[in-house]
Amino acid sequence: MSDTVQRAPGVTGGKPAGSAGRNGGLGQLGRAGRLLLQQREATVFLVVVLLILYFGYINSNGRGVFFTRLDLINLSQIAAPIMIIAYGEVLLLICGEIDLSVGFIYAFAPFVMHFLAAYYGVPGILAIIFAIILVGGGVGLINGFLTVTLRLPSFITTLGTGFILGGLILTTGHGEQATIDASVQGIGKYLGTLGWAEFIWAAGLLVVFHLLLRRTRWGLHTIAVGGNATGAREAGINIARIKYGNFMITGVLGAFVGIQISFQTQVVDTFSGGAAYQPMFYAVAAAVIGGTAMLGGSGTMIGAFLGGAVLAVLTDGFDVIGVSAYPLEIFFGGAILIAMIANVQFARLRGQGRVK
Amino acid sequence: MSEAAPQGQQPSAQEPQDPAPSGDAAPAASPPGDVLRAEHIAKRYGAVTALTDINLHLGRGEVLGLLGDNGAGKSTLMKILCGFQPADAGRIVLEGSEVTFKSVDHARSLGIDTVYQDLALVNQLSVYHNLFLNREVTRWPLLANGKMRKLARQYLDEMGINIPSVDSDVAALSGGQRQAIAVARAVHSNAKILLLDEPLAAMGAKEAAIILDLVRDLKNKGQVSVIIIAHNYGQALEICDRVNLLQHGEITFDKQSADTSVEELNDIVIAEYRRAALERQRTA
């Protein structure tokens, strides 16, 4: 209430104050600063910028290698998969669920694509679409069924389906990598083979998912389900439909990214030994760094995008400045915690500003 | 899926039939003027019997108060009438035709809307998104936020509800304002029957006045029939045309507000309590 009264002049008063003259300048700067802080994503954005500057200039032996074309492509290829999967996890986290199996969907989809194309002669584009829909949508549907219809906590559901998928991959693939079939290579160019392809997908999907969350009934109902499940049900919202749908969306995104990665690396990998958990952990971390609440009800796609950027800059940055692989994860974990602490503290400050 | 603005007309296919043509054939035809009847409604939760045999009727344009102590079954009855849960036995007659509510949405499509005790508001959403929750105005595939914002402002102004900005999250509002938004939402769903579950609970004197004025306003317009669950007999008698008293899952008292008083209602409830206490002593 009082916040809107306070906020209103800040928003609408910008122009007249600026034209009023010099003495308005400092106040305006303060107002701009306050406005920036009121945006939930602002802190993460600031973190991304600072990290890029740090790794780019201060610590690259004066060569600025971080900003060469090759490394920017590398950076974007690390960031894009995290971001795309994070969009799905944001939807799930907002409506009070999580998908731990998405990394295995990511690993399994290229297998199905490979089987369809190489062994059953399915034409390239169809093999890709079938793999995404069958694996992504199918596992999402199963996750939804177990979580919503059989009422298991999604943490357990997706832990189980993840293990099963991991086992399926190793069994059917005999634990060996395969090379991408020639019949699908042509389309692969637009999915992941070309340098910037993945990042362009990540940016395009950001727009789509931002609109989905902020400007459609689906997004509104997803927030309502996570914010007040009883209330959503009383308002007549079909909670099961929302949750099923978001599990399937996340599955489809995971399958899509998995296929992209297989084109980028030109192999269909078996991800043995639980390595397929990593894309999921990165995506959930990106969502949370970007301000998505683990308890449901709130989160943003732009936050997930920026969260993915933070993780990618850290990964690539430590690589560029030559930190050895062993301590890398120590820095990494520390950086995640610092980003989160900054986020929580700024959110608290924003909250106080509101109350006053 | 795009939906009409709440002010839009109900689709005629969903209008209940007029009671007149089938009136003779129906075994228990409702008297003209009754918009809703509940007959022999019973509900159990496991070993607990919440409602034993409820018979209730609501006249057109009437405001009916449903009174009773905690655990008497008021909320259970409300949840059955709004389609939130089915009854174990009995039937509901809406404008002369027997209906079985499949869901809250179904009951709402037949013109019954509810303001729950918990208000069913989503803290993380703005006032106008809450006002239009699950009845959003869309320009497919996107939400028509501008239009909803404008309509929300208009509705709240019309109802005299003072809320600084329809853009603020409902988490920032007071109890009375939240309640007012929930009532506004139900009123503008084009409901013919409005169920208000404890609208005055935990409300300050001024906030209660907002809600009482809203209901009085509805009553004067005469287009909506209302059932109000209330704790406070004084407030209930002030705005209701008629009051029913619910005790142990049955309606034990049914009088026009003008023919009864707070004292009479208190006496009944206290007498019942004394009788039960005596019984317990005797059996102990």
Side-chain angles (χ1 to χ4, degrees):
Chain A
M1 280 200 318
S2 59
D3 69 314
T4 55
V5 180
Q6 270 199 334
R7 206 189 295 168
V11 176
T12 56
K15 258 185 193 162
S19 56
R22 250 172 272 137
N23 53 354
L26 206 68
Q28 236 193 338
L29 206 69
R31 262 202 298 273
R34 242 177 297 142
L35 265 180
L36 190 73
L37 282 180
Q38 277 168 355
Q39 298 300 317
R40 270 191 288 186
E41 297 90 352
T43 14
V44 199
F45 182 70
L46 218 64
V47 170
V48 174
V49 172
L50 289 177
L51 281 175
I52 289 180
L53 289 177
Y54 175 74
F55 286 118
Y57 287 118
I58 301 162
N59 226 333
S60 60
N61 305 326
R63 282 179 291 123
V65 66
F66 203 62
F67 290 123
T68 63
R69 181 170 167 275
L70 203 67
D71 208 70
L72 279 180
I73 289 179
N74 191 32
L75 180 64
S76 81
Q77 285 178 340
I78 299 170
I82 302 173
M83 292 165 172
I84 296 175
I85 297 178
Y87 303 152
E89 294 285 5
V90 167
L91 287 175
L92 278 175
L93 287 170
I94 288 178
C95 70
E97 305 294 347
I98 193 169
D99 185 353
L100 304 181
S101 71
V102 69
F104 292 94
I105 297 174
Y106 162 111
F108 193 51
F111 261 85
V112 173
M113 174 189 78
H114 186 69
F115 277 121
L116 289 173
Y119 296 102
Y120 297 94
V122 177
I125 180 103
L126 285 181
I128 291 171
I129 292 174
F130 280 158
I132 289 174
I133 291 176
L134 280 178
V135 179
V139 176
L141 192 69
I142 293 168
N143 283 337
F145 175 76
L146 294 170
T147 306
V148 179
T149 310
L150 297 187
R151 294 161 191 261
L152 301 181
S154 55
F155 196 92
I156 303 301
T157 304
T158 55
L159 200 64
T161 53
F163 271 119
I164 291 173
L165 281 175
L168 272 178
I169 295 165
L170 289 175
T171 312
T172 55
H174 305 289
E176 282 177 35
Q177 292 185 344
T179 332
I180 294 259
D181 196 68
S183 69
V184 291
Q185 285 289 12
I187 306 134
K189 217 167 38 183
Y190 306 106
L191 291 178
T193 316
L194 285 178
W196 288 101
E198 288 169 289
F199 189 74
I200 291 169
W201 277 100
L205 288 173
L206 170 64
V207 176
V208 171
F209 278 89
H210 179 74
L211 286 175
L212 180 76
L213 179 60
R214 291 274 155 232
R215 298 295 305 274
T216 69
R217 298 187 79 205
W218 186 270
L220 201 67
H221 291 183
T222 297
I223 297 171
V225 166
N228 181 357
T230 315
R233 194 153 77 98
E234 285 166 351
I237 292 171
N238 187 340
I239 294 178
R241 193 172 135 247
I242 297 284
K243 289 192 172 178
Y244 264 96
N246 285 331
F247 273 114
M248 290 170 74
I249 289 172
T250 307
V252 163
L253 289 175
F256 179 68
V257 171
I259 284 175
Q260 282 192 317
I261 294 287
S262 71
F263 281 116
Q264 185 199 313
T265 57
Q266 289 292 309
V267 286
V268 177
D269 199 343
T270 52
F271 287 91
S272 51
Y277 276 119
Q278 186 165 319
M280 178 278 298
F281 279 127
Y282 275 47
V284 172
V288 173
I289 288 173
T292 296
M294 290 295 280
L295 294 175
S298 70
T300 76
M301 293 298 167
I302 295 171
F305 180 89
L306 292 170
V310 168
L311 295 179
V313 172
L314 284 174
T315 309
D316 197 37
F318 283 128
D319 197 27
V320 166
I321 64 173
V323 169
S324 103
Y326 294 137
L328 184 103
E329 295 197 344
I330 300 173
F331 289 112
F332 206 78
I336 291 175
L337 291 179
I338 289 169
M340 281 304 299
I341 290 167
N343 230 357
V344 170
Q345 295 306 318
F346 272 110
R348 206 171 50 89
L349 283 177
R350 273 200 302 276
Q352 283 173 350
R354 234 177 210 206
V355 174
K356 194 197 156 258
Chain B
M1 163 170 64
S2 113
E3 281 180 20
Q7 266 187 327
Q9 286 296 306
Q10 292 278 340
S12 58
Q14 286 168 345
E15 292 284 346
Q17 285 167 5
D18 197 75
S22 60
D24 288 338
S30 51
D34 267 356
V35 63
L36 179 76
R37 290 182 73 84
E39 297 170 356
H40 307 297
I41 298 286
K43 180 76 187 175
R44 311 171 59 87
Y45 296 107
V48 182
T49 305
L51 302 174
T52 48
D53 183 19
I54 294 289
N55 291 284
L56 169 150
H57 65 103
L58 176 67
R60 200 176 298 278
E62 187 179 36
V63 178
L64 172 67
L66 203 55
L67 310 176
D69 263 9
N70 293 327
K74 294 170 305 200
S75 287
T76 305
L77 178 57
M78 208 64 141
K79 281 178 179 159
I80 290 170
L81 292 178
C82 74
F84 191 78
Q85 60 185 24
D88 296 335
R91 52 183 225 144
I92 295 171
V93 180
L94 186 63
E95 307 214 30
S97 338
E98 185 172 342
V99 287
T100 309
F101 299 135
K102 293 189 207 69
S103 65
V104 174
D105 252 0
H106 181 223
R108 185 177 290 153
S109 74
L110 296 173
I112 300 185
D113 216 321
T114 313
V115 177
Y116 296 91
Q117 202 168 353
D118 60 24
L119 301 184
L121 297 178
V122 180
N123 277 335
Q124 290 85 347
L125 295 177
S126 66
V127 167
Y128 72 92
H129 277 148
N130 269 289
L131 257 178
F132 286 90
L133 191 61
N134 204 27
R135 273 194 300 271
E136 296 86 357
V137 186
T138 55
R139 199 166 37 228
W140 202 90
L142 300 182
L143 294 167
N145 280 335
K147 188 163 182 200
M148 282 193 277
R149 204 178 276 127
K150 221 177 98 194
L151 282 172
R153 185 80 268 168
Q154 183 192 326
Y155 293 167
L156 295 178
D157 286 347
E158 274 170 15
M159 297 174 78
I161 301 168
N162 182 25
I163 284 161
S165 165
V166 293
D167 286 305
S168 39
D169 291 350
V170 292
L173 303 181
S174 75
Q177 289 172 319
R178 291 164 63 84
Q179 185 80 54
I181 287 165
V183 172
R185 171 160 84 187
V187 168
H188 280 280
S189 67
N190 219 16
K192 283 175 291 195
I193 298 171
L194 208 54
L195 309 177
L196 304 180
D197 192 357
E198 300 265 14
L200 304 171
M203 204 123 306
K206 186 183 147 207
E207 297 188 321
I210 298 176
I211 307 301
L212 290 175
D213 284 349
L214 274 179
V215 174
R216 212 170 275 131
D217 214 41
L218 290 176
K219 190 161 100 178
N220 293 338
K221 285 178 185 155
Q223 290 147 353
V224 189
S225 314
V226 185
I227 300 181
I228 297 180
I229 290 186
H231 252 117
N232 185 320
Y233 300 153
Q235 286 171 329
L237 289 176
E238 197 185 323
I239 50 167
C240 296
D241 301 309
R242 188 161 57 90
V243 289
N244 280 0
L245 189 63
L246 197 60
Q247 289 179 307
H248 317 300
E250 271 180 79
I251 286 170
T252 53
F253 178 91
D254 180 2
K255 267 190 186 176
Q256 296 293 324
S257 296
D259 302 335
T260 184
S261 63
V262 175
E263 290 73 29
E264 185 182 13
L265 288 164
N266 268 331
D267 287 349
I268 293 170
V269 173
I270 291 167
E272 168 61 29
Y273 163 75
R274 292 262 153 77
R275 197 188 57 73
L278 222 69
E279 198 128 299
R280 268 201 302 279
Q281 270 180 356
R282 212 171 290 149
T283 51

